[in-house]
Amino acid sequence: MAELEGLEFGKSDFVLLDEVNMEQFMENLKLRFEKARIYTFIGEVVVSVNPYKQMDIYGKEAIDAYRGRELYENPPHLYAVADAAYKAMKRRAKDTCIVISGESGAGKTEASKYIMQYIAAITNPSQRAEVESVKNVLLKSNCVLEAFGNAKTNRNDNSSRFGKYMDINFNFNGDPTGGHINNYLLEKVRILRGGSEEMLGSLHLQNDPVNYVYTREGAASTTSNNDRSNHRAVLSALQVIGFSEEEIDSIYRILGTILILGNLQFETDSESVQVVGSEAVSHIAGLTTTEPDNVTKSLLYRTVATGGGEVIEKGHTEKEACFGRDAFAKALYERLFCWIVARINAVIEVKDYNPVLHGKNTVIGVLDIYGFEIFDNNSFEQFCINYCNEKLQQLFIELILRQEQDEYQREGITWQHIDYFNNQIIVDLVEQPHKGIISVLDEACLTVGKVTDTICLESMDAKLRQHPHYTSRKLTPSDKTMEFHRDFRIRHYAGDVTYSVEGFLDKNKDPLFQDFKRLMYNSSNPVLKEMWPDGQLSITEVTKRPLTAATLFKNSIVALVDKLGCKEPYYVRCIKPNEMKSPVLFDDARCQHQVAYLGLLENVRVRRAGFAYRQPYARFLQRYKMTCEYTWPNHLMETDREAVEAIVTQHGFQDDVAYGHTKLFVRTPRSLFTLEQERAALIPILVLFLQKVWRGALARMRCQRMRAIYAIMGCYKRYKVKAHFWEVERRFTNVRNMADYGKSVEWPTPPAALAQFDSITQQWRARQIVKNIPPSDMGEVRAKVAALGALSGERKDWGCGRPWERDYLSNVRDCPQTSSNFIRISKELRNKDQYNQVLFSGFCRKVGRHDSTENLFVCVCVWVYLTPLCLSIPQMTGLSITAGVDQMVALHTSSQDDVLLYIQRGELCPNQDRIGELLGTLIDHFTRSVATVRGCWVETGIGFRLQRGAELKQAKPNFTELAWLSINCSQ
């Protein structure tokens, strides 16, 4: 790290100073401030000096430079400590916290904002929408809380008047999943600077804070553009977080009510107190949606219950009315601020978290709390703030100074004890039961009767007179810097602070009359009603006396310190360089005082003499065992300490470590960095090795599963095949004895593997059935099959169920009068034309354009005789029939001289359909013996025709009145 910056910038780590003394410390701090190096390390502690100017060291390039880097790889920066806390949380799954401390005006709030921005920038690289939403709300909450919780003081333009501790929850991937905000103590704050004229008018306000008592002190005469842009940013942040328009409007109404309340004046009219002017009361009633009479009554009267349960109204004095007004205004703002924090927490809290499903939930805490304050007039608020800083300083001493030295002694590490100031004595002065200042204040508040601040001071003098860190004018009469009966002084770790006891008791009681609570609870505004749930109690209900403000604050700070104590802390120690807010002025005395009370010099001494890193042997071995051949994957030595010694020896770090009873101590971070680098280089190799082994295991498991699957599939397929054969056998066992030879038996659905075989089997069975048909019947069977294929169901009754005689003219039963003559004539034609057989014969009627005549229709192998016409088979190009029950046939010839016939039925059966018989006979004959069939189709009037040897084409039908079935055969 010392090599990253030149010597002209001084030492970037105070541990590297030649001599550890105040002179060299201050010289190095001043040099770095003058060279615009506002950050310096003390080991892992960052010392930050407020530059009082904008610096270009927080952009994306700076974030990328510090992302994932070790603390000492880059120059000192807030980003370095933020990244260290994030890496510790992610690597070791350990909760961490970043404590930002320093006096008012030292730059703590800005530091917390930069830390939050850095954490948001380095997380969620995959840009998951739900994580981005959480990050946006976390960042925007800073803007809102700063607007409502900071104020301008005489030492700081943007002083935190509240303490904020934010827990950011992370999942196992290191992405933020939610958070929680705790706030501590709230004082007066700035209100509504930068609001538009229209909005201010709706709230009955003027755009000049000088006009209002609560904002008059220190207010500028004009509103700057910066105020207006800040106001717009706050409004945008409220909307991003999820505040509704009604809720935002309620916030403005409450703020307007507070300002108007501050201007309320009271006057005494004879024996009663009255509000000066009724317009302000009307405005307050309108803004809080309450009745003006109820507002007036709450301001001027107090409702109390007597011991007998009687309720009476007690009028206020003018002083009591003013006190009640101010208490009401303060309570309004406090309830508003707490409600805003609660609403933000409701949005950012981790929802539906299950450690089993989502892994370990780790936390980074960021503490930004008010710094140590010394004003000309220090009151109850400064007392609480400085007590808080004493507790945080005690935590710093406990963790950084005392615990570290105690650990060296426990572990048997040779160590020279370093003296430091332990401020436990000051903490006890404030919070010790029965003796501390808070106990004295509470006792005075609970005492019945008139107890004044002066009486309380006298009680503190009596109980604390022997305490070395407490004094008052009564105890030291010669000290004229304090006033009798008013001032007391505490010697804080940061310096002596004189407090004025005036108002301590009233502020500690922080009494708010129940009338105001009931007034707000009965408001028609649901937001106001939600803020005042205790207003539903009636005056006669007995309630437990509430804890005092000091006790509540003490309890919250003790809880905060306990919460920080269970986390691994990282510190940012902020220093205010001057009182003039100048970017060039370095006040040596002012800075030296802060260095002294922050214990930075002691921190350097402890860090320089101590060890930067310590870890139990088992955990160290678990993390770095892969860097040594003797410890990977598991060592065979007797103890983990011996294995750790082997790792250290292999890397040559013997002179940079010390071995404790249970832990290894590493002196410089560079040794640890070397181990981390080697580990980071080995992790990808180990990951690849594990991936290879795991992928091989997965492949083997998949192979075994596939083999098992194929074995099961093979067995199942064989079973399905056998089951199919068993089913076929069962169904066709008795088909030989059936009249239709099993034609009516339905074949079972075969498995996919037997689909082709099943088709072949059915064909084989068909052949077996056909084989039993007598040869004399085969011609008829072939003809019927041909007709069935050609008609395709277009003609319902075509004679399939009856025997086909074919030569009906020679059948005595069908033509008893002409059969003998036809037999004689057919013999003559056979001798003449040399044909083998008559394919079809029967009576027909030739239909012409003008008449019709009866004819004999005889079809033989080569000729078609249509007395007196004779056509040769080569002249025929096809025939057409209708889809109806008529017996019409159209013979088509190559000469386009078509013949239309009507086949007449004989006496064998008057209703016989002989068209199918003629069609099937001709197709069977032409298929087997006359010609090679090139095309055979059915035309139903749609107009599709298969031309000779050509493709299917669109054509208009030749017949429009009838739907024709045409069969064309080509030689």
Side-chain angles (χ1 to χ4, degrees):
M1 181 182 64
E3 302 168 358
L4 298 175
E5 294 182 328
L7 292 178
E8 68 272 16
F9 300 112
K11 301 293 178 61
S12 56
D13 193 328
F14 286 112
V15 176
L16 303 175
L17 291 175
D18 297 331
E19 295 183 14
V20 182
N21 53 51
M22 184 61 75
E23 290 74 17
Q24 286 205 14
F25 190 100
M26 293 303 301
E27 182 181 342
N28 188 66
L29 185 67
K30 182 176 182 180
L31 175 61
R32 291 184 63 79
F33 175 76
E34 292 172 347
K35 296 291 186 180
R37 297 298 189 270
I38 62 173
Y39 299 121
T40 312
F41 282 137
I42 304 178
E44 292 183 348
V45 176
V46 173
V47 179
S48 171
V49 183
N50 193 340
Y52 287 117
K53 64 180 179 181
Q54 294 294 326
M55 301 189 70
D56 188 20
I57 57 173
Y58 305 104
K60 185 178 183 302
E61 292 182 0
I63 292 174
D64 293 338
Y66 285 87
R67 184 200 306 264
R69 312 302 297 181
E70 296 300 325
L71 197 69
Y72 35 80
E73 289 188 77
N74 286 308
H77 201 289
L78 287 173
Y79 291 168
V81 72
D83 196 80
Y86 179 75
K87 286 201 300 288
M89 179 273 300
K90 192 173 181 181
R91 285 176 179 174
R92 303 196 291 272
K94 183 175 178 61
D95 293 345
T96 61
C97 64
I98 301 174
V99 180
I100 308 169
S101 59
E103 70 175 52
S104 178
K108 300 182 298 301
T109 299
E110 291 299 311
S112 70
K113 288 195 291 188
Y114 288 130
I115 288 173
M116 292 286 295
Q117 290 171 5
Y118 179 80
I119 293 174
I122 66 173
T123 54
N124 193 30
S126 58
Q127 297 294 307
R128 289 168 51 207
E130 62 273 20
V131 179
E132 285 299 304
S133 175
V134 171
K135 285 165 51 176
N136 288 337
V137 173
L138 289 173
L139 291 176
K140 295 297 184 182
S141 66
N142 262 340
C143 176
V144 174
L145 295 178
E146 183 179 331
F148 286 89
N150 291 18
K152 182 176 181 179
T153 67
N154 57 1
R155 303 182 66 188
N156 188 357
D157 285 340
N158 191 32
S159 177
S160 296
R161 310 319 298 161
F162 77 109
K164 178 189 68 177
Y165 175 74
M166 176 183 289
D167 270 336
I168 308 172
N169 298 83
F170 295 85
N171 59 16
F172 69 97
N173 284 329
D175 292 330
T177 58
H180 186 83
I181 299 171
N182 294 94
N183 63 292
Y184 308 92
L185 187 65
L186 182 64
E187 286 189 86
K188 56 187 178 183
V189 297
R190 63 183 179 213
I191 299 178
L192 287 178
R193 289 298 299 268
S196 66
E197 295 291 342
E198 180 182 355
M199 182 192 70
L200 294 175
S202 66
L203 301 176
H204 312 291
L205 299 177
Q206 300 174 5
N207 193 10
D208 189 354
V210 178
N211 295 335
Y212 300 97
V213 173
Y214 291 154
T215 58
R216 184 174 299 160
E217 186 177 354
S221 57
T222 59
T223 300
S224 66
N225 290 330
N226 190 44
D227 287 327
R228 298 185 190 280
S229 62
N230 288 342
H231 179 265
R232 288 193 295 270
V234 172
L235 181 60
S236 173
L238 288 170
Q239 294 169 344
V240 169
I241 292 172
F243 285 84
S244 66
E245 293 296 330
E246 292 76 13
E247 290 174 330
I248 294 174
D249 180 66
S250 296
I251 291 173
Y252 285 135
R253 285 173 168 269
I254 294 172
L255 297 179
T257 300
I258 294 170
L259 288 177
I260 297 173
L261 267 175
N263 284 6
L264 272 181
Q265 298 296 321
F266 302 95
E267 62 182 4
T268 303
D269 182 12
S270 64
E271 295 182 356
S272 62
V273 178
Q274 301 294 330
V275 178
V276 178
S278 60
E279 185 180 11
V281 174
S282 299
H283 292 337
I284 293 172
L287 293 174
T288 58
T289 61
T290 55
E291 294 297 327
D293 292 342
N294 293 338
V295 174
T296 303
K297 185 177 178 181
S298 300
L299 289 168
L300 300 180
Y301 297 92
R302 178 185 179 188
T303 306
V304 294
T306 65
E310 183 183 356
V311 178
I312 61 173
E313 290 183 353
K314 180 183 177 182
H316 290 318
T317 64
E318 188 173 335
K319 183 178 179 180
E320 289 174 340
C322 293
F323 179 80
R325 172 202 63 197
D326 293 339
F328 181 38
K330 181 179 179 181
L332 272 173
Y333 204 94
E334 181 184 10
R335 301 271 179 132
L336 170 64
F337 190 80
C338 292
W339 176 81
I340 290 174
V341 172
R343 281 285 286 108
I344 295 174
N345 282 335
V347 174
I348 65 176
E349 68 178 354
V350 179
K351 301 175 180 66
D352 301 326
Y353 172 71
N354 186 337
V356 177
L357 298 177
H358 305 117
K360 180 175 173 57
N361 184 6
T362 49
V363 169
I364 292 181
V366 180
L367 176 64
D368 170 25
I369 205 161
Y370 21 64
F372 194 87
E373 293 186 343
I374 305 176
F375 295 154
D376 294 335
N377 181 24
N378 300 288
S379 187
F380 181 77
E381 291 81 8
Q382 282 67 48
F383 171 76
C384 292
I385 286 174
N386 293 341
Y387 160 68
C388 172
N389 281 270
E390 289 284 358
K391 290 290 289 185
L392 293 178
Q393 177 68 8
Q394 183 192 27
L395 178 67
F396 177 78
I397 292 171
E398 184 77 13
L399 297 178
I400 301 299
L401 302 179
R402 188 178 69 81
Q403 281 189 8
E404 184 155 348
Q405 298 193 74
D406 291 348
E407 185 176 31
Y408 295 149
Q409 293 178 359
R410 285 195 309 271
E411 291 289 330
I413 303 297
T414 303
W415 176 259
Q416 183 178 357
H417 184 76
I418 295 174
D419 293 328
Y420 57 89
F421 171 69
N422 192 336
N423 72 330
Q424 181 64 47
I425 188 174
I426 304 176
V427 173
D428 290 341
L429 168 65
V430 176
E431 69 177 17
Q432 188 176 13
H434 309 301
K435 294 182 180 180
I437 294 176
I438 292 179
S439 294
V440 175
L441 287 173
D442 288 353
E443 184 179 344
C445 291
L446 297 176
T447 300
V448 178
K450 187 67 173 179
V451 180
T452 63
D453 295 323
T454 303
I455 296 175
C456 181
L457 178 59
E458 291 175 355
S459 179
M460 286 193 294
D461 290 342
K463 291 187 176 184
L464 304 171
R465 62 185 310 122
Q466 301 299 327
H467 200 286
H469 289 266
Y470 173 86
T471 187
S472 68
R473 181 66 185 274
K474 180 180 179 180
L475 300 179
T476 55
S478 59
D479 189 350
K480 297 183 179 181
T481 59
M482 293 185 288
E483 293 288 337
F484 280 109
H485 310 302
R486 192 191 72 178
D487 297 340
F488 68 94
R489 181 177 296 152
I490 297 177
R491 189 174 300 166
H492 287 283
Y493 78 96
D496 295 350
V497 181
T498 301
Y499 297 98
S500 172
V501 78
E502 292 180 351
F504 260 57
L505 291 183
D506 290 337
K507 293 177 180 179
N508 190 38
K509 295 177 187 175
D510 202 13
L512 180 67
F513 299 138
Q514 188 72 20
D515 302 76
F516 291 117
K517 298 178 182 178
R518 286 194 295 273
L519 176 68
M520 293 296 96
Y521 181 77
N522 293 320
S523 168
S524 301
N525 188 326
V527 175
L528 265 175
K529 191 180 185 73
E530 181 183 350
M531 293 180 190
W532 298 84
D534 47 350
Q536 61 184 321
L537 299 176
S538 67
I539 194 61
T540 57
E541 291 184 86
V542 178
T543 58
K544 185 179 178 181
R545 182 186 292 270
L547 295 176
T548 62
T551 299
L552 288 172
F553 183 69
K554 181 192 73 172
N555 294 342
S556 65
I557 295 302
V558 169
L560 170 65
V561 171
D562 291 342
K563 186 177 293 187
L564 295 175
C566 67
K567 296 178 173 61
E568 183 174 324
Y570 291 82
Y571 283 93
V572 178
R573 309 292 263 174
C574 299
I575 293 177
K576 185 176 183 178
N578 58 77
E579 294 287 350
M580 308 301 295
K581 305 172 186 175
S582 168
V584 296
L585 181 61
F586 187 88
D587 188 335
D588 293 82
R590 190 85 182 83
C591 294
Q592 183 172 330
H593 176 68
Q594 296 174 73
V595 169
Y597 76 67
L598 287 173
L600 299 184
L601 209 57
E602 291 82 357
N603 191 5
V604 174
R605 291 193 180 102
V606 172
R607 187 68 183 188
R608 185 163 175 160
F611 297 87
Y613 177 81
R614 73 285 319 270
Q615 193 72 274
Y617 291 124
R619 184 173 293 181
F620 182 90
L621 182 63
Q622 180 66 27
R623 184 164 184 83
Y624 300 113
K625 63 181 181 179
M626 70 285 297
T627 64
C628 178
E629 58 182 331
Y630 302 110
T631 57
W632 177 258
N634 294 299
H635 70 86
L636 301 176
M637 304 173 191
E638 292 184 1
T639 63
D640 288 345
R641 172 173 173 168
E642 294 180 13
V644 170
E645 288 180 1
I647 297 175
V648 172
T649 302
Q650 177 166 320
H651 290 87
F653 298 153
Q654 300 93 319
D655 298 333
D656 199 39
V657 301
Y659 299 98
H661 299 312
T662 62
K663 293 182 180 180
L664 173 72
F665 292 80
V666 182
R667 188 176 300 277
T668 63
R670 188 166 296 279
S671 298
L672 192 66
F673 176 49
T674 303
L675 286 173
E676 284 289 340
Q677 279 187 317
E678 187 167 347
R679 180 181 183 274
L682 289 172
I683 286 296
I685 300 174
L686 296 177
V687 169
L688 288 175
F689 173 74
L690 293 175
Q691 288 178 341
K692 179 180 69 175
V693 173
W694 179 240
R695 286 170 179 164
L698 288 178
R700 285 189 288 274
M701 287 189 290
R702 280 196 294 268
C703 181
Q704 292 174 356
R705 284 198 297 268
M706 291 301 294
R707 286 177 177 175
I709 290 171
Y710 283 127
I712 294 172
M713 289 173 60
C715 293
Y716 183 71
K717 286 181 179 178
R718 288 191 292 273
Y719 162 75
K720 292 292 287 184
V721 169
K722 291 179 181 178
H724 180 70
F725 288 151
W726 293 335
E727 181 64 17
V728 171
E729 181 182 5
R730 184 186 68 80
R731 294 189 182 189
F732 291 92
T733 299
N734 298 318
V735 293
R736 295 180 182 276
N737 301 326
M738 297 173 65
D740 59 354
Y741 294 100
K743 178 182 178 182
S744 59
V745 177
E746 183 179 358
W747 281 79
T749 303
L754 291 180
Q756 184 177 3
F757 178 79
D758 190 73
S759 176
I760 296 172
T761 303
Q762 292 187 35
Q763 295 176 11
W764 170 82
R765 167 148 179 81
R767 285 194 295 271
Q768 297 303 312
I769 295 175
V770 170
K771 184 174 66 175
N772 296 326
I773 299 176
S776 59
D777 295 339
M778 284 302 298
E780 181 180 346
V781 171
R782 287 195 303 270
K784 288 184 177 181
V785 170
L788 177 66
L791 294 174
S792 299
E794 293 293 336
R795 191 175 177 107
K796 293 182 180 180
D797 184 15
W798 47 275
C800 177
R802 62 174 179 82
W804 285 1
E805 299 292 338
R806 297 193 182 188
D807 190 2
Y808 289 99
L809 292 178
S810 62
N811 191 316
V812 177
R813 292 178 301 163
D814 193 72
C815 300
Q817 299 178 355
T818 60
S819 59
S820 57
N821 292 331
F822 178 74
I823 291 173
R824 179 181 53 80
I825 294 172
S826 65
K827 289 180 180 180
E828 294 176 358
L829 292 176
R830 181 179 293 111
N831 294 331
K832 176 183 175 183
D833 296 330
Q834 299 296 317
Y835 63 84
N836 294 328
Q837 62 177 337
V838 175
L839 299 180
F840 185 85
S841 67
F843 286 103
C844 70
R845 181 176 293 277
K846 180 182 178 183
V847 180
R849 181 182 299 272
H850 302 292
D851 57 356
S852 61
T853 58
E854 264 193 30
N855 301 81
L856 294 178
F857 176 76
V858 181
C859 179
V860 297
C861 298
V862 183
W863 299 92
V864 172
Y865 300 101
L866 186 61
T867 57
L869 181 63
C870 181
L871 297 174
S872 67
I873 291 298
Q875 287 181 307
M876 292 183 60
T877 60
L879 61 87
S880 296
I881 63 176
T882 69
V885 296
D886 57 79
Q887 302 295 301
M888 302 211 42
V889 179
L891 301 178
H892 306 293
T893 65
S894 57
S895 61
Q896 302 297 319
D897 190 12
D898 297 346
V899 179
L900 183 61
L901 304 175
Y902 180 81
I903 303 297
Q904 293 181 332
R905 300 180 178 92
E907 297 181 9
L908 188 62
C909 184
N911 297 323
Q912 276 185 349
D913 186 303
R914 296 180 180 177
I915 294 297
E917 185 176 354
L918 171 62
L919 183 66
T921 300
L922 291 178
I923 291 176
D924 177 59
H925 173 72
F926 281 104
T927 300
R928 291 188 310 105
S929 57
V930 177
T932 300
V933 178
R934 295 185 182 178
C936 183
W937 72 93
V938 177
E939 183 187 58
T940 60
I942 300 175
F944 288 95
R945 175 168 298 211
L946 184 64
Q947 305 293 339
R948 293 184 181 219
E951 63 182 2
L952 191 66
K953 297 181 180 179
Q954 180 94 20
K956 292 183 179 180
N958 294 327
F959 304 92
T960 56
E961 294 86 358
L962 299 174
W964 296 93
L965 291 169
S966 300
I967 288 82
N968 280 19
C969 301
S970 305
Q971 290 184 357

